[in-house]
Amino acid sequence: MDWLSARAAQNTPALEFDSQTWTTSALNAWAESIAAHLESRGVTCGTRVAIHLVNQPAYVALIHALARAGAVAVPLNTRLTQAELNWQMEQSECDLLICESKRIGHPKRILTSELPPTPQHASRPAALRSPLKPDSVQGIFFTSGTTGFPKGALLTFDNFHASALASAERLGIDPHDRWLLTMPLYHIGGMSIVFRAAIYGITIVLHSGFDMDAVHHALVNEKITHVSLVPTMLHRLLEKYPDFKPSPSLRVILLGGAGAPANLLEKSLALNLPLALTYGLTEAASQVATSTPEQTRAKPGSVGKPLNGTTVSIVDEAGELLPNGEVGEIAVSGRTVMRGYLGRSRLKRDLQTGDIGYLDADGDLWLLTRRTDLIVSGGENIYPEEVERVLMAHPAVGEACVFGISDPEWGQSVAAAVVLREACDGETLIQFLRGQVAGYKVPRRILFVESLPHTASGKLKRAESAIGVQRLLTLDKTVKSLETFNSEK
């Protein structure tokens, strides 16, 4: 599944970064030299290679090089702590780590400075190695899990290929398209664009991260046709540039990763921005359902119909199919859906997403609530139990409840209600967390209560706790018992 090599002969722009351009031929030659170097270091078909890098051209070349060598990529979130990184590398049994700093530990490590630099001259496409089967695993992508521990989604080359073809059919693709990529390459939204660009033969305009001024400049001046954003990014862009007017070349702002607030939609549509609302999953190689810009204007808030080849069903708690118009859990099936989770049996049925929504009479999907209890802050998934587990490791904490609260910029921010065993303050707990979980997972607000509500079986009533704390935040009030407070009229 060497899509870049198949495009090398056309020798058209493939990648732009900081005024540098790589043609398909040049990028292919770079990927080939990296693949050969990795093979000389023991990388073979099936080798699991962890990647801890920020967005940069070498990351794009490396993605193609690993695919060419038949290795399995394990992209790591650069915002995780060393403990979190160690856990993911251990779970995925990584044979090798590629990173920029010696501070990231692994028994076998290659620094980017050791990788071959981009060749001065493009070479002829190398002879293809033994072709991989379409259902060979391309990568292991860690996503939040219902146990509070991340789960590794096994995505195949066929998953990416099916996703690329279905997305192109929905949004349209032209050989001269230029896709602005500011999403992290470790994120499924970033990785999928790398493969799509090679499959389509279009240009990636890569940014090292999301910078409002740089993104604004690119969308106004650089003939960008597509850009992928999460609502937080678009919110910040429009806050700074309220009269934002992109180049006429811009056909699609693919907006996903979290629910789009109504006021953001109103502002964007008033500016006539070409919003394509999308609902996607790591487990489904990115897009599941997408509304075209025309459909978004006609039906604001809907994420549109499932992509071709993907089936979306709405089911009840027993897994029974619900008719259009009824609210239930979103279930997904089709070629884009992962092989399964790391360490678990192969997925043999529909993927139960845990997300809540409904299909309207036209078959368009409306997303009501993201995965039960999952916090989506600035496009990053945060599972409460992971943060709670670390909080309760502090000797002063007896119990904790973590949840998301509405945030105008981030969509949601993290808050926590804590029952103490002994005297402690919020700043102490925040500093304790910072050493063990990524910064975006650390609660912005911590409230101390005497007790938390539980079911008769002793299970924490997370939703009731969250409602109680949000009421407290609104009233700027402190109470000892959330259970008592929630029962008050």
Side-chain angles (χ1 to χ4, degrees), residues 394-406:
H394 191 283
V397 176
E399 190 173 19
C401 177
V402 172
F403 49 87
I405 57 176
S406 180

Side-chain angles (χ1 to χ4, degrees), residues 314 322-328 357-359:
I314 306 298
L322 292 172
N324 286 11
E326 291 200 24
V327 174
Y358 68 94
L359 293 167

Side-chain angles (χ1 to χ4, degrees), residues 306-318:
L307 298 188
N308 189 22
T310 297
T311 299
V312 169
S313 305
I314 306 298
V315 299
D316 62 18
E317 292 183 359

Side-chain angles (χ1 to χ4, degrees), residues 85-113:
L85 293 171
N86 288 344
W87 188 89
Q88 292 190 7
M89 288 189 285
E90 289 169 5
Q91 291 298 306
S92 54
E93 299 179 332
C94 287
D95 304 291
L96 178 68
L97 166 68
I98 297 177
C99 60
E100 290 184 288
S101 172
K102 293 182 178 180
R103 288 178 296 177
I104 309 299
H106 189 275
K108 190 174 180 182
R109 178 180 57 205
I110 295 177
L111 299 179
T112 48
S113 58

Side-chain angles (χ1 to χ4, degrees), residues 187-221:
H187 191 281
I188 191 63
M191 182 75 72
S192 63
I193 294 170
V194 170
F195 287 127
R196 288 179 186 185
I199 292 168
Y200 303 156
I202 66 172
T203 306
I204 294 173
V205 179
L206 181 68
H207 284 196
S208 57
F210 179 77
D211 178 277
M212 284 182 289
D213 296 329
V215 168
H216 180 264
H217 182 273
L219 294 178
V220 171
N221 300 293

